[in-house]
Amino acid sequence: MDTLLSDIGRLDGVNGGLITDQNGTALFKSIEAGNQLSRSIAACANTFLSISARQFKYAVFSRKNNTQVLIFPFGSNYFLAVFRHAAGRHQETDLIAGRIIAMLAQSKTQ
């Protein structure tokens, strides 16, 4: 999982990420605030899963400090949160999300 976060961290504009379980425990993180945010990320992701598990590919939240948080389901019991500097480049969000989804799919086959 550390390798996955390292690979994702190399994407343009990505500041870091974390992997959390469904209870909000940060398992792997590449950002300092990971422990503080992991419960909120799990709560958001669990809400999306309860609404539509099949439709939940990723969720995006914009923050006041020009960053975005992208949350992805990861495996059957985990969530991946990726933090990126948006700075008005919201059109790139779908592109980056597509790359991350491909990376997650590739990590399942390895």
Side-chain angles (χ1 to χ4, degrees):
M1 286 192 225
D2 271 337
T3 304
L4 177 65
L5 282 180
S6 294
D7 291 345
I8 290 170
R10 290 187 200 104
L11 294 173
D12 186 39
V14 171
N15 300 332
L18 69 92
I19 296 173
T20 181
D21 66 12
Q22 290 182 334
N23 297 318
T25 302
L27 304 174
F28 296 93
K29 59 185 173 147
S30 64
I31 61 163
E32 290 300 316
N35 289 334
Q36 297 165 348
L37 296 172
S38 62
R39 287 189 179 161
S40 297
I41 288 164
C44 291
N46 280 314
T47 300
F48 281 103
L49 280 177
S50 69
I51 293 169
S52 181
R54 288 187 169 178
Q55 297 292 331
F56 178 38
K57 303 294 183 210
Y58 71 96
V60 180
F61 295 91
S62 294
R63 301 174 74 195
K64 289 181 182 180
N65 61 355
N66 286 329
T67 61
Q68 291 178 327
V69 180
L70 290 80
I71 303 173
F72 302 85
F74 179 57
S76 58
N77 297 312
Y78 304 102
F79 306 111
L80 167 68
V82 175
F83 301 86
R84 68 179 292 266
H85 184 68
R89 300 179 293 170
H90 296 286
Q91 65 274 14
E92 294 178 6
T93 301
D94 286 336
L95 178 64
I96 289 174
R99 289 181 182 163
I100 293 170
I101 289 169
M103 294 169 118
L104 292 172
Q106 184 178 12
S107 73
K108 286 182 187 177
T109 62
Q110 293 178 351

